[in-house]
Amino acid sequence: MTGMFGEGFDMNALLAQAQAMQSQFQRAQDELASREVSGSAGGDLVRVTMSGTGELLSVDIKPEAWDPDDTATLGDLVVAAVRDAARKVQILTETSLPQLPNLGL
């Protein structure tokens, strides 16, 4: 077969490879959904837990983090803890999802 893909190009092999990659990707996503990561801020005054897919699951705030006269700092700690967990989710995702091969097209 000749054409834009060159001599000897096997479309069936390419489709089979794409299906296998899709299956691997789905398994990796399912595994990520079952994993949990934690993020913290303020020396663990605020701790959050996220799923491996980035869903916020819980927020734990120690009583000493709460100052009714300074709610802005508590908000900053929550944001920092969520960002910490989100960064860990990103790293987990990058290391867990299969890499796409170079098909040389």
Side-chain angles (χ1 to χ4, degrees), residues 12-61:
N12 289 330
L14 180 62
L15 291 173
Q17 185 178 10
Q19 287 177 329
M21 287 178 0
Q22 183 179 10
S23 178
Q24 285 179 318
F25 189 78
Q26 185 61 50
R27 278 194 305 273
Q29 282 187 316
D30 292 345
E31 182 181 324
L32 281 173
S34 69
R35 304 272 305 267
E36 292 184 1
V37 298
S38 294
S40 65
D44 282 344
L45 287 176
V46 175
R47 184 178 252 339
V48 301
T49 303
M50 289 182 136
S51 72
T53 56
E55 180 183 358
L56 184 61
L57 301 172
S58 68
V59 177
D60 180 42
I61 301 172

